[in-house]
């Protein structure tokens, strides 16, 4: 008997990440990759982490660092996060915070927490494909979230009812979103809170890129806006997911969730069943580095990535053919391109790899309904300004050739 015959039905909705597959190409000689939305390893605070790990393994610290620990997470790290959230307008206690193994684990837990088969999840068109991967395992129905549009709460409710479904949450990354790089306005955030109130559903706020703003004034997190409305995090429907992956290190897999205590308590039970707790040694090191140099380090990231963002936007202006449009992000790591309707960016990627030795992510993977064949995502985080200009020039040349054939 083939064991595949025993797999649960949910496995049919689990698909390989196109980005994970593309990352396997990064060692190709001469490849200029705009594919992976990953930090530049040259910008990691490696010396600071080296010192932090050594400190955590001193005789007086090593027993705690190498032992089992509580599922909620290392208390000093949660206390640091509480202070950071307070700076953003989110008043909470350490008991409102759970440490996760990256924010991706948080999305998986939240899918498990809220979604029964055929429940409705509201997501952007496009949205972060890692969120789709996390939610797909719980067999939801998707509907398009557009806080800036004119769709009424009743239309969401009616569409769900027609499918014998109920809206459980709205998921979005409001600051410099993956994949588009766009930011939801203050008005859009308030509108989303109104929608969640009308639908009696949760809001999952993915703040993975919030610290990486290169221009303009910061907009309060959705959770901060809801606390201002209701007075206490315990009365809020918003769940905030944070991450150290884009600021300090993705390899240590450190993220966090901030939410009302009943939500955290249920997620703690999930963590106890899944992995007991995130690695204590890593938590201690992240706490030490965050405490010592977070603001200074992030300021350096903003300068470096901001210059690369500027280089990409300038190169797109210089080399893209007519009919191509793109977003102009104020932060984050991504620019989103929309090509003429007849262009299939998966086919363009094949030619890009073969003819120009460049890579990007075709946009279709970011759409819950499989749309977006004429879109693509570019990341500017790893290449330097000269490489970005060269790579965009190659992409523009390829697209112009395609337009002539």
């Amino acid at each position: 008997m083939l064991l595949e015959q025993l797999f649960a039905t949910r496995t049919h909705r689990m698909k390989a990440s196109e980005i994970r597959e593309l990352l396997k190409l990064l060692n190709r000689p001469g490849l200029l990759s705009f594919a992976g939305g990953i930090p530049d390893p040259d910008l990691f605070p490696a010396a600071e982490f080296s010192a932090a790990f050594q400190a955590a393994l001193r005789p007086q610290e090593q027993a705690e660092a190498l032992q089992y620990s509580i599922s909620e997470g290392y208390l000093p790290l949660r206390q640091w996060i509480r202070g950071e959230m307070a700076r953003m307008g989110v008043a909470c206690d350490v008991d409102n915070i759970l440490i996760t193994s990256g924010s991706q684990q948080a999305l998986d837990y939240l899918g498990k927490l809220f979604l029964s088969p055929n429940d409705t999840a509201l997501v952007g068109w496009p949205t972060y494909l890692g969120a789709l991967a996390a939610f797909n395992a719980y067999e939801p129905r998707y509907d398009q979230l557009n806080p800036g549009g004119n769709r009424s709460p009743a239309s969401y409710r009616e569409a769900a009812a027609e499918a014998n479904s109920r809206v459980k949450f709205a998921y979005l990354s409001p600051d410099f979103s993956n994949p588009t790089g766009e930011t939801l306005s203050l008005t859009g955030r308030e509108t989303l809170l109104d929608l969640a109130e009308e639908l009696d559903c949760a809001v999952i706020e993915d703040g993975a890129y919030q610290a990486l703003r290169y221009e303009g004034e910061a907009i309060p997190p959705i959770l901060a806006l809801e606390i201002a409305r209701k007075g206490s995090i315990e009365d809020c429907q918003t769940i905030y997911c944070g991450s150290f992956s884009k600021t300090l290190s993705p390899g240590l897999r450190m993220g966090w969730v901030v939410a009302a205590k009943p939500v955290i308590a249920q997620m703690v039970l999930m963590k106890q069943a899944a992995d007991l707790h995130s690695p204590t040694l890593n938590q201690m090191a992240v706490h030490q580095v965050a405490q010592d140099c977070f603001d200074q380090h992030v300021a350096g990231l903003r300068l470096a990535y901001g210059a690369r963002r500027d280089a990409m936007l300038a190169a797109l202006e210089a080399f893209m053919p007519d009919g191509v449009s793109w977003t102009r992000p104020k932060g984050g790591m991504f620019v989103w391109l929309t090509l003429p309707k007849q262009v299939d960016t998966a086919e363009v990627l094949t030619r890009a790899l073969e003819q120009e030795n460049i890579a990007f992510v075709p946009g279709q993977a970011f759409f819950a309904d499989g749309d977006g064949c004429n879109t693509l995502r570019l990341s500017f985080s790893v290449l330097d300004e000269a490489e970005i200009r060269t790579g965009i020039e190659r992409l523009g040349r390829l697209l112009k050739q395609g337009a002539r054939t």
Side-chain angles (χ1 to χ4, degrees):
M1 182 184 69
L2 295 176
L3 288 179
E4 288 90 336
Q5 297 173 3
L6 303 178
F7 288 174
T9 57
R10 72 177 67 91
T11 61
H12 298 303
R13 297 187 61 168
M14 297 179 182
K15 299 177 181 178
S17 165
E18 292 197 21
I19 296 176
R20 297 297 104 189
E21 296 302 311
L22 282 171
L23 287 178
K24 297 175 183 177
L25 300 172
L26 292 184
N27 291 328
R28 215 168 113 167
L31 178 72
L32 295 179
S33 177
F34 300 112
I38 59 177
D40 184 346
D42 291 337
L43 300 178
F44 291 155
E48 290 82 355
F49 270 117
S50 178
F53 277 109
Q54 290 181 45
L57 292 173
R58 291 178 302 197
Q60 61 268 37
E61 308 286 351
Q62 64 184 228
E64 182 178 16
L66 301 177
Q67 185 57 277
Y68 286 116
S69 187
I70 61 173
S71 299
E72 289 84 350
Y74 182 54
L75 180 58
L77 180 57
R78 287 190 288 145
Q79 291 171 331
W80 185 90
I81 291 169
R82 178 183 62 185
E84 190 70 10
M85 296 304 299
R87 290 204 301 176
M88 295 189 286
V90 176
C92 64
D93 298 327
V94 291
D95 291 337
N96 295 111
I97 299 169
L98 170 68
I99 302 299
T100 57
S101 297
S103 60
Q104 187 66 29
Q105 184 179 65
L107 296 179
D108 176 62
Y109 286 177
L110 290 167
K112 183 184 294 186
L113 180 63
F114 286 107
L115 295 172
S116 297
N118 200 47
D119 280 342
T120 295
L122 306 182
V123 298
W125 247 244
T127 194
Y128 171 48
L129 66 83
L132 296 177
F135 303 151
N136 277 344
Y138 306 105
E139 304 174 86
R141 167 189 174 270
Y142 292 110
D143 200 351
Q144 183 172 355
L145 176 66
N146 182 12
N150 56 8
R151 189 172 172 188
S152 69
S155 70
Y156 285 107
R157 190 182 299 110
E158 291 164 4
E162 289 176 4
N164 296 314
S165 179
R166 177 187 172 185
V167 178
K168 288 296 190 69
F169 62 71
Y171 164 82
L172 77 165
S173 183
D175 294 283
F176 329 121
S177 69
N178 182 357
T180 66
E182 294 177 319
T183 296
L184 185 63
S185 68
L186 178 61
T187 300
R189 296 173 198 225
E190 297 283 8
T191 299
L192 179 62
L193 286 173
D194 294 339
L195 176 65
E197 193 77 25
E198 287 280 342
L199 295 178
D200 197 23
C201 72
V203 174
I204 299 175
E205 179 178 13
D206 188 339
Y209 302 93
Q210 187 161 24
L212 299 180
R213 173 176 284 277
Y214 314 134
E215 64 176 88
E217 293 296 320
I219 305 174
I222 296 169
L223 180 54
L225 296 173
E226 189 174 13
I227 290 173
R229 286 186 178 196
K230 297 180 177 177
S232 170
I233 191 173
E234 301 305 329
D235 298 319
C236 289
Q237 295 163 231
T238 303
I239 299 159
Y240 182 94
C241 300
S243 175
F244 291 105
S245 291
K246 304 304 186 290
T247 52
L248 296 184
S249 164
L252 296 180
R253 309 309 303 131
M254 285 291 111
W256 70 91
V257 178
V258 181
K261 290 173 186 174
V263 174
I264 297 298
Q266 196 64 43
M267 294 182 74
V268 167
L269 297 180
M270 292 178 178
K271 190 151 184 69
Q272 290 172 353
D275 64 0
L276 301 182
H277 62 87
S278 297
T280 308
L281 178 60
N282 290 3
Q283 293 185 66
M284 293 174 72
V286 166
H287 168 252
Q288 188 64 56
V289 174
Q291 180 177 256
D292 290 349
C293 68
F294 185 82
D295 288 346
Q296 178 184 354
H297 177 68
V298 170
L301 295 181
R302 290 179 183 136
L303 287 175
Y305 292 146
R308 295 173 192 185
R309 185 276 313 261
D310 293 344
M312 177 168 282
L313 293 179
L316 289 168
E317 289 285 355
F319 300 119
M320 283 300 107
D322 293 340
V324 178
S325 61
W326 53 90
T327 58
R328 290 166 173 79
K330 295 184 177 181
M333 294 182 171
F334 307 107
V335 175
W336 182 253
L337 269 63
T338 302
L339 281 61
K341 276 290 184 183
Q342 71 274 15
V343 178
D344 183 346
T345 55
E347 186 274 331
V348 174
L349 175 61
T350 299
R351 291 193 292 120
L353 289 166
E354 292 175 352
Q355 299 175 27
E356 298 289 355
N357 209 18
I358 56 173
F360 56 81
V361 183
Q364 187 175 17
F366 299 95
F367 288 81
D369 65 351
D371 198 3
C373 291
N374 64 318
T375 61
L376 63 90
R377 191 194 76 178
L378 300 174
S379 173
F380 50 79
S381 57
V382 174
L383 302 180
D384 64 31
E385 290 94 318
E387 290 171 327
I388 288 169
R389 186 171 180 84
T390 298
I392 296 301
E393 182 177 11
R394 292 181 189 178
L395 178 60
R397 180 166 63 229
L398 190 74
L399 294 176
K400 290 173 184 176
Q401 291 171 354
R404 291 195 297 267
T405 58

